[in-house]
Coordinates of all heavy atoms in Angstrom, one line a residue:
M1 N 41.6 143.9 143.8 CA 42.0 143.3 142.6 C 40.8 143.0 141.6 O 39.7 142.7 142.1 CB 42.5 141.9 142.9 CG 44.0 141.5 142.8 SD 45.0 142.3 141.6 CE 46.5 142.2 142.4
A2 N 41.0 143.2 140.4 CA 40.0 143.0 139.4 C 39.9 141.5 139.1 O 40.9 140.8 139.1 CB 40.3 143.8 138.1
T3 N 38.7 141.1 138.8 CA 38.5 139.7 138.4 C 38.6 139.6 136.9 O 38.7 140.6 136.2 CB 37.1 139.2 138.8 OG1 36.1 140.0 138.1 CG2 37.0 139.4 140.3
D4 N 38.7 138.4 136.4 CA 38.8 138.1 135.0 C 37.6 138.6 134.2 O 37.7 138.9 133.0 CB 39.1 136.7 134.7 CG 40.5 136.2 135.1 OD1 41.3 137.1 135.3 OD2 40.7 135.0 135.4
D5 N 36.5 138.7 134.9 CA 35.3 139.1 134.2 C 35.2 140.6 134.0 O 34.6 141.1 133.1 CB 34.0 138.7 135.0 CG 33.9 137.2 135.2 OD1 34.4 136.5 134.3 OD2 33.3 136.7 136.2
D6 N 36.0 141.4 134.8 CA 36.0 142.8 134.7 C 36.9 143.4 133.6 O 36.8 144.5 133.2 CB 36.4 143.5 136.0 CG 35.4 143.2 137.1 OD1 34.2 142.8 136.8 OD2 35.8 143.2 138.3
M7 N 37.9 142.6 133.2 CA 38.9 143.1 132.2 C 38.5 142.7 130.8 O 37.9 141.7 130.5 CB 40.2 142.4 132.6 CG 40.8 142.9 133.8 SD 42.5 142.5 133.9 CE 42.5 141.1 135.0
P8 N 38.9 143.6 129.9 CA 38.7 143.3 128.5 C 39.7 142.2 128.0 O 40.6 141.8 128.7 CB 39.1 144.6 127.8 CG 39.9 145.4 128.7 CD 39.5 144.9 130.1
A9 N 39.4 141.7 126.9 CA 40.2 140.6 126.3 C 41.6 141.0 126.1 O 41.9 142.1 125.6 CB 39.6 140.0 125.0
G10 N 42.6 140.2 126.5 CA 44.0 140.5 126.4 C 44.6 141.4 127.4 O 45.8 141.6 127.4
A11 N 43.8 141.8 128.4 CA 44.3 142.7 129.5 C 44.8 141.8 130.6 O 44.4 140.6 130.8 CB 43.3 143.6 130.0
S12 N 45.7 142.3 131.4 CA 46.2 141.5 132.6 C 46.3 142.4 133.8 O 46.3 143.7 133.6 CB 47.6 140.9 132.2 OG 48.6 141.9 132.1
D13 N 46.5 141.8 134.9 CA 46.7 142.6 136.2 C 48.1 143.3 136.3 O 48.2 144.2 137.0 CB 46.5 141.7 137.4 CG 45.0 141.5 137.7 OD1 44.2 142.3 137.3 OD2 44.7 140.5 138.3
D14 N 49.0 142.8 135.5 CA 50.4 143.2 135.6 C 50.5 144.6 135.0 O 50.4 144.7 133.7 CB 51.3 142.2 135.0 CG 52.8 142.6 135.2 OD1 53.1 143.5 136.0 OD2 53.7 142.0 134.5
P15 N 50.8 145.7 135.7 CA 51.0 147.0 135.1 C 52.2 147.1 134.3 O 52.4 148.1 133.5 CB 50.9 148.0 136.3 CG 51.4 147.2 137.5 CD 50.9 145.7 137.2
F16 N 53.2 146.2 134.5 CA 54.5 146.3 133.8 C 54.6 145.3 132.7 O 55.7 145.0 132.2 CB 55.6 146.0 134.8 CG 55.6 147.1 135.9 CD1 55.2 146.7 137.2 CD2 56.0 148.4 135.7 CE1 55.2 147.6 138.2 CE2 56.0 149.3 136.7 CZ 55.6 149.0 138.0
A17 N 53.4 144.7 132.3 CA 53.4 143.7 131.2 C 53.8 144.4 129.9 O 53.5 145.6 129.7 CB 52.1 143.1 131.1
A18 N 54.5 143.7 129.0 CA 54.8 144.3 127.7 C 53.6 144.7 126.9 O 52.6 143.9 126.9 CB 55.7 143.3 126.9
V19 N 53.7 145.8 126.2 CA 52.6 146.2 125.4 C 52.9 145.8 124.0 O 54.0 146.0 123.5 CB 52.4 147.8 125.4 CG1 51.4 148.2 124.5 CG2 52.2 148.2 126.8
T20 N 52.0 145.1 123.3 CA 52.2 144.6 122.0 C 51.8 145.7 121.0 O 50.7 146.3 121.2 CB 51.4 143.3 121.7 OG1 50.0 143.6 121.9 CG2 51.9 142.2 122.6
A21 N 52.6 146.0 120.0 CA 52.3 147.0 119.0 C 51.6 146.3 117.8 O 51.8 145.1 117.5 CB 53.6 147.6 118.5
S22 N 50.7 147.1 117.2 CA 50.0 146.6 116.0 C 51.0 146.5 114.9 O 51.7 147.4 114.6 CB 48.9 147.5 115.7 OG 48.3 147.2 114.5
P23 N 51.0 145.4 114.1 CA 51.9 145.2 113.0 C 51.5 146.0 111.8 O 52.1 145.9 110.7 CB 51.9 143.7 112.8 CG 50.6 143.2 113.3 CD 50.3 144.1 114.4
R24 N 50.4 146.7 111.8 CA 49.9 147.4 110.7 C 50.9 148.5 110.2 O 51.5 149.2 111.0 CB 48.5 148.1 111.0 CG 47.4 147.1 111.2 CD 46.1 147.8 111.5 NE 45.8 148.7 110.4 CZ 44.9 149.7 110.5 NH1 44.3 149.9 111.7 NH2 44.7 150.5 109.5
F25 N 51.1 148.6 108.9 CA 52.0 149.6 108.3 C 53.4 149.4 108.6 O 54.2 150.3 108.5 CB 51.5 151.0 108.6 CG 50.1 151.3 108.2 CD1 49.1 151.6 109.2 CD2 49.7 151.2 106.9 CE1 47.8 151.8 108.8 CE2 48.4 151.5 106.5 CZ 47.5 151.8 107.5
A26 N 53.8 148.3 109.1 CA 55.3 148.1 109.5 C 56.1 148.0 108.2 O 57.2 148.6 108.2 CB 55.4 146.8 110.3
G27 N 55.7 147.3 107.2 CA 56.4 147.3 105.9 C 56.6 148.6 105.2 O 57.7 149.0 104.9
P28 N 55.5 149.3 105.0 CA 55.6 150.7 104.4 C 56.4 151.6 105.3 O 57.1 152.5 104.7 CB 54.1 151.2 104.3 CG 53.3 149.9 104.2 CD 54.0 148.9 105.1
L29 N 56.4 151.5 106.6 CA 57.2 152.4 107.4 C 58.7 152.1 107.2 O 59.5 153.0 107.2 CB 56.9 152.2 108.9 CG 55.6 152.9 109.3 CD1 55.3 152.6 110.8 CD2 55.7 154.4 109.2
A30 N 59.1 150.8 107.1 CA 60.4 150.4 106.8 C 60.9 151.0 105.5 O 62.0 151.5 105.3 CB 60.6 148.9 106.9
F31 N 60.0 150.9 104.5 CA 60.3 151.4 103.1 C 60.5 152.9 103.2 O 61.4 153.5 102.6 CB 59.2 151.0 102.2 CG 59.4 151.6 100.8 CD1 60.4 151.0 100.0 CD2 58.7 152.6 100.3 CE1 60.6 151.5 98.7 CE2 58.9 153.1 99.0 CZ 59.8 152.5 98.2
A32 N 59.7 153.6 104.0 CA 59.8 155.0 104.1 C 61.1 155.4 104.8 O 61.7 156.4 104.5 CB 58.6 155.6 104.9
G33 N 61.6 154.5 105.7 CA 62.9 154.8 106.4 C 64.0 154.7 105.4 O 64.9 155.5 105.4
F34 N 63.9 153.7 104.4 CA 65.0 153.6 103.4 C 64.9 154.8 102.4 O 65.9 155.3 101.9 CB 64.8 152.3 102.6 CG 65.4 151.1 103.4 CD1 64.6 150.1 103.8 CD2 66.7 151.1 103.7 CE1 65.1 149.1 104.5 CE2 67.3 150.0 104.4 CZ 66.4 149.0 104.8
V35 N 63.7 155.3 102.1 CA 63.5 156.4 101.2 C 64.1 157.7 101.9 O 64.8 158.5 101.2 CB 62.0 156.6 100.9 CG1 61.8 158.0 100.2 CG2 61.5 155.5 100.0
L36 N 63.9 157.8 103.2 CA 64.5 159.0 103.9 C 66.0 158.9 104.0 O 66.7 159.9 103.9 CB 63.8 159.1 105.3 CG 62.4 159.6 105.3 CD1 61.8 159.4 106.7 CD2 62.4 161.1 105.0
A37 N 66.5 157.6 104.0 CA 67.9 157.5 104.0 C 68.5 157.9 102.6 O 69.5 158.6 102.6 CB 68.3 156.0 104.2
A38 N 67.8 157.6 101.6 CA 68.3 158.0 100.2 C 68.2 159.5 100.1 O 69.1 160.2 99.5 CB 67.4 157.4 99.1
I39 N 67.1 160.1 100.7 CA 67.0 161.6 100.6 C 68.1 162.2 101.4 O 68.7 163.2 101.0 CB 65.6 162.0 101.2 CG1 64.5 161.6 100.1 CG2 65.6 163.5 101.4 CD1 63.1 161.8 100.7
A40 N 68.5 161.7 102.6 CA 69.5 162.2 103.4 C 70.9 162.1 102.7 O 71.8 163.0 102.9 CB 69.6 161.5 104.7
L41 N 71.1 161.1 101.9 CA 72.3 160.9 101.2 C 72.5 161.7 100.0 O 73.5 162.3 99.7 CB 72.5 159.4 100.8 CG 73.8 159.0 100.2 CD1 75.0 159.2 101.2 CD2 73.8 157.5 99.8
L42 N 71.4 161.9 99.2 CA 71.5 162.5 97.9 C 71.1 164.0 97.9 O 71.4 164.7 96.9 CB 70.6 161.8 96.9 CG 70.9 160.3 96.8 CD1 69.9 159.6 95.9 CD2 72.3 160.1 96.2
T43 N 70.5 164.5 98.9 CA 70.2 165.9 98.9 C 70.9 166.6 100.1 O 71.6 166.0 100.8 CB 68.6 166.1 99.1 OG1 68.3 165.6 100.4 CG2 67.9 165.3 98.1
G44 N 70.7 167.9 100.2 CA 71.3 168.6 101.3 C 70.5 168.6 102.6 O 70.7 169.4 103.5
L45 N 69.6 167.7 102.7 CA 68.7 167.6 103.8 C 69.0 166.5 104.8 O 68.2 165.9 105.5 CB 67.2 167.4 103.4 CG 66.7 168.5 102.4 CD1 65.3 168.0 101.9 CD2 66.6 169.8 103.1
A46 N 70.3 166.2 105.0 CA 70.8 165.1 105.8 C 70.4 165.3 107.3 O 70.1 164.4 108.0 CB 72.3 164.9 105.6
A47 N 70.5 166.5 107.7 CA 70.2 166.8 109.1 C 68.7 166.7 109.5 O 68.4 166.5 110.6 CB 70.7 168.2 109.5
I48 N 67.9 166.7 108.5 CA 66.4 166.5 108.7 C 66.0 165.1 108.4 O 65.3 164.5 109.2 CB 65.6 167.6 107.9 CG1 66.0 169.0 108.3 CG2 64.1 167.3 108.0 CD1 65.5 170.1 107.4
A49 N 66.3 164.6 107.2 CA 65.9 163.3 106.7 C 66.5 162.2 107.5 O 65.9 161.1 107.6 CB 66.1 163.2 105.2
G50 N 67.8 162.3 107.9 CA 68.4 161.3 108.6 C 67.7 160.9 109.9 O 67.4 159.7 110.1
P51 N 67.5 161.8 110.8 CA 66.8 161.5 112.1 C 65.4 161.0 111.9 O 64.9 160.2 112.6 CB 66.9 162.8 112.9 CG 68.0 163.5 112.4 CD 68.1 163.2 110.9
L52 N 64.7 161.6 110.9 CA 63.4 161.2 110.6 C 63.4 159.7 110.1 O 62.5 158.9 110.5 CB 62.7 162.0 109.5 CG 62.2 163.4 109.9 CD1 61.7 164.2 108.7 CD2 61.1 163.2 110.9
G53 N 64.3 159.4 109.2 CA 64.4 158.0 108.8 C 64.7 157.0 109.9 O 64.2 155.9 109.9
M54 N 65.6 157.5 110.8 CA 65.9 156.6 112.0 C 64.7 156.4 112.9 O 64.4 155.3 113.3 CB 67.1 157.3 112.8 CG 68.4 157.2 112.0 SD 69.7 158.2 112.8 CE 69.9 157.4 114.3
G55 N 63.9 157.5 113.1 CA 62.7 157.3 113.9 C 61.7 156.5 113.2 O 61.1 155.6 113.9
V56 N 61.5 156.6 111.9 CA 60.5 155.8 111.2 C 60.9 154.4 111.2 O 60.1 153.5 111.4 CB 60.3 156.4 109.8 CG1 59.5 155.5 108.9 CG2 59.6 157.7 109.9
G57 N 62.2 154.1 111.0 CA 62.7 152.8 111.0 C 62.6 152.1 112.3 O 62.3 150.9 112.4
L58 N 62.8 152.9 113.4 CA 62.6 152.3 114.7 C 61.2 152.0 115.0 O 60.9 150.9 115.6 CB 63.1 153.3 115.8 CG 63.2 152.9 117.2 CD1 64.2 151.7 117.3 CD2 63.6 154.0 118.1
V59 N 60.3 152.8 114.6 CA 58.8 152.5 114.7 C 58.5 151.2 114.0 O 57.8 150.3 114.5 CB 58.0 153.7 114.3 CG1 56.5 153.3 114.2 CG2 58.1 154.8 115.3
A60 N 59.0 151.1 112.8 CA 58.8 149.9 112.0 C 59.4 148.6 112.7 O 58.8 147.6 112.7 CB 59.4 150.0 110.6
H61 N 60.5 148.8 113.3 CA 61.2 147.7 114.0 C 60.3 147.2 115.2 O 60.1 146.1 115.4 CB 62.6 148.1 114.4 CG 63.2 147.0 115.3 ND1 63.6 145.8 114.9 CD2 63.5 147.1 116.6 CE1 64.2 145.1 115.9 NE2 64.1 145.9 116.9
V62 N 59.8 148.2 115.9 CA 59.0 147.9 117.1 C 57.7 147.3 116.7 O 57.2 146.4 117.4 CB 58.7 149.2 117.9 CG1 57.7 149.0 119.0 CG2 60.0 149.7 118.6
K63 N 57.2 147.6 115.5 CA 55.9 147.0 115.0 C 56.2 145.6 114.5 O 55.2 144.9 114.2 CB 55.3 147.9 114.0 CG 54.6 149.1 114.6 CD 54.0 149.9 113.5 CE 53.0 150.9 114.0 NZ 51.7 150.4 114.4
G64 N 57.4 145.2 114.3 CA 57.7 143.8 113.9 C 58.3 143.7 112.5 O 58.4 142.5 112.1
S65 N 58.6 144.7 111.8 CA 59.2 144.6 110.5 C 60.7 144.2 110.6 O 61.4 144.8 111.4 CB 59.1 145.9 109.7 OG 59.8 145.8 108.5
R66 N 61.1 143.2 109.8 CA 62.5 142.8 109.9 C 63.4 143.8 109.2 O 64.6 143.8 109.4 CB 62.6 141.4 109.2 CG 61.9 140.3 110.0 CD 62.1 139.0 109.3 NE 63.5 138.6 109.3 CZ 64.0 137.6 108.6 NH1 63.3 136.9 107.9 NH2 65.3 137.4 108.7
A67 N 62.8 144.6 108.3 CA 63.6 145.7 107.6 C 63.7 147.0 108.4 O 64.3 147.9 107.9 CB 62.9 145.9 106.2
G68 N 63.0 147.0 109.6 CA 63.0 148.3 110.3 C 64.4 148.6 110.9 O 64.9 149.8 110.8
L69 N 65.1 147.7 111.5 CA 66.4 147.9 112.0 C 67.5 148.3 110.9 O 68.2 149.2 111.1 CB 66.9 146.8 112.9 CG 67.9 147.1 113.9 CD1 67.5 148.2 114.8 CD2 68.3 145.8 114.7
P70 N 67.5 147.6 109.8 CA 68.4 148.0 108.7 C 68.1 149.4 108.2 O 69.0 150.1 107.9 CB 68.2 147.0 107.6 CG 67.8 145.7 108.4 CD 66.9 146.2 109.5
A71 N 66.8 149.8 108.3 CA 66.4 151.2 107.9 C 67.0 152.2 108.8 O 67.4 153.3 108.4 CB 64.9 151.3 107.7
V72 N 67.0 151.8 110.1 CA 67.6 152.7 111.1 C 69.1 152.9 110.9 O 69.6 154.1 110.8 CB 67.4 152.2 112.6 CG1 68.2 153.0 113.6 CG2 65.9 152.1 112.9
F73 N 69.8 151.8 110.6 CA 71.2 151.9 110.4 C 71.5 152.6 109.1 O 72.5 153.4 108.9 CB 71.9 150.6 110.5 CG 72.0 150.1 111.9 CD1 71.3 149.0 112.3 CD2 72.8 150.7 112.8 CE1 71.4 148.5 113.6 CE2 72.9 150.3 114.1 CZ 72.2 149.2 114.6
A74 N 70.7 152.3 108.0 CA 71.0 153.0 106.7 C 70.7 154.5 106.8 O 71.5 155.3 106.3 CB 70.0 152.3 105.7
S75 N 69.7 154.9 107.6 CA 69.4 156.3 107.7 C 70.5 157.0 108.5 O 70.9 158.1 108.2 CB 68.1 156.5 108.4 OG 67.0 156.1 107.6
G76 N 71.0 156.3 109.5 CA 72.1 156.9 110.3 C 73.4 157.1 109.5 O 74.0 158.1 109.5
A77 N 73.7 156.0 108.8 CA 74.9 156.1 107.9 C 74.8 157.1 106.8 O 75.7 157.9 106.5 CB 75.2 154.7 107.3
A78 N 73.6 157.2 106.2 CA 73.3 158.1 105.1 C 73.4 159.6 105.7 O 73.8 160.5 105.0 CB 72.0 157.9 104.5
M79 N 72.9 159.8 106.9 CA 73.0 161.1 107.5 C 74.4 161.5 107.7 O 74.8 162.6 107.4 CB 72.2 161.1 108.9 CG 72.3 162.4 109.6 SD 71.5 162.4 111.2 CE 72.5 161.2 112.1
I80 N 75.2 160.6 108.2 CA 76.6 160.9 108.5 C 77.4 161.2 107.2 O 78.1 162.2 107.0 CB 77.3 159.8 109.3 CG1 76.8 159.8 110.7 CG2 78.8 160.0 109.3 CD1 77.2 158.5 111.5
I81 N 77.2 160.3 106.2 CA 77.8 160.5 104.9 C 77.3 161.8 104.2 O 78.1 162.6 103.6 CB 77.7 159.3 104.0 CG1 78.4 158.1 104.7 CG2 78.1 159.5 102.6 CD1 78.0 156.8 104.0
G82 N 76.0 162.0 104.2 CA 75.4 163.2 103.6 C 75.9 164.5 104.2 O 76.2 165.5 103.5
M83 N 76.0 164.5 105.5 CA 76.5 165.7 106.2 C 78.0 165.9 105.9 O 78.4 167.1 105.7 CB 76.3 165.6 107.7 CG 74.8 165.7 108.1 SD 74.6 165.4 109.9 CE 74.2 167.1 110.4
A84 N 78.8 164.9 105.9 CA 80.2 165.0 105.6 C 80.4 165.5 104.1 O 81.2 166.3 103.8 CB 80.9 163.7 105.8
W85 N 79.6 165.0 103.2 CA 79.6 165.3 101.8 C 79.3 166.8 101.6 O 79.9 167.5 100.9 CB 78.7 164.4 101.0 CG 78.8 164.6 99.5 CD1 80.0 164.7 98.8 CD2 77.8 164.7 98.6 NE1 79.7 164.8 97.5 CE2 78.3 164.8 97.3 CE3 76.4 164.6 98.8 CZ2 77.5 164.9 96.2 CZ3 75.6 164.7 97.6 CH2 76.2 164.8 96.4
M86 N 78.2 167.3 102.3 CA 77.9 168.7 102.2 C 78.9 169.6 102.9 O 79.2 170.7 102.4 CB 76.5 168.9 103.0 CG 75.3 168.4 102.2 SD 75.2 169.3 100.6 CE 75.1 167.9 99.5
F87 N 79.6 169.1 103.9 CA 80.7 169.9 104.5 C 81.8 170.0 103.6 O 82.5 171.0 103.5 CB 81.1 169.2 105.8 CG 82.2 169.9 106.5 CD1 82.0 171.2 107.2 CD2 83.5 169.4 106.5 CE1 83.0 171.8 107.8 CE2 84.5 170.1 107.1 CZ 84.3 171.3 107.8
Y88 N 82.1 168.9 102.9 CA 83.2 168.9 101.9 C 82.9 169.8 100.7 O 83.8 170.4 100.2 CB 83.5 167.4 101.4 CG 84.5 167.3 100.4 CD1 85.9 167.5 100.7 CD2 84.2 167.0 99.1 CE1 86.8 167.4 99.7 CE2 85.2 166.9 98.1 CZ 86.5 167.1 98.4 OH 87.4 167.0 97.5
L89 N 81.7 169.8 100.2 CA 81.4 170.6 99.1 C 81.3 172.1 99.4 O 81.4 172.9 98.5 CB 80.0 170.2 98.5 CG 80.0 168.8 97.8 CD1 78.6 168.5 97.3 CD2 81.0 168.8 96.7
R90 N 81.1 172.5 100.6 CA 81.0 173.9 100.9 C 82.3 174.5 101.3 O 83.3 174.3 101.6 CB 80.0 174.1 102.0 CG 78.6 173.8 101.5 CD 77.6 174.1 102.6 NE 76.4 173.5 102.1 CZ 75.2 174.0 102.3 NH1 75.1 175.0 103.2 NH2 74.1 173.5 101.8

């Protein structure tokens, strides 16, 4: 077992302890998720921009942004609506 002197600051002996994410860039990532949702809705790129927006929003949520989870749902809904709209137009 390692002693407290051997470990860096903030480390613990528990290998299953939760890892804290850095809150840096959480706000801009959530904004990027909403931008990708708009791109998925308004262009023919719903199959690409929708999952990207969902992933970016999820990363923002894990980093601590309160707007991250709404960005995930907005991107998912925009992807579904954008794909249905493109299917209707073709």
Side-chain angles (χ1 to χ4, degrees):
M1 246 334 153
T3 63
D4 290 338
D5 297 334
D6 296 338
M7 287 197 260
S12 68
D13 279 336
D14 186 11
F16 301 106
V19 177
T20 57
S22 170
R24 292 180 56 196
F25 303 115
L29 282 173
F31 179 73
F34 283 114
V35 168
L36 286 166
I39 290 171
L41 185 63
L42 301 175
T43 66
L45 302 173
I48 297 169
L52 280 177
M54 291 169 63
V56 169
L58 187 62
V59 170
H61 173 69
V62 168
K63 285 183 167 280
S65 174
R66 293 181 64 190
L69 200 57
V72 171
F73 287 113
S75 293
M79 178 182 64
I80 292 169
I81 294 168
M83 290 175 108
W85 188 45
M86 285 298 124
F87 180 74
Y88 176 73
L89 290 177
R90 291 183 189 212

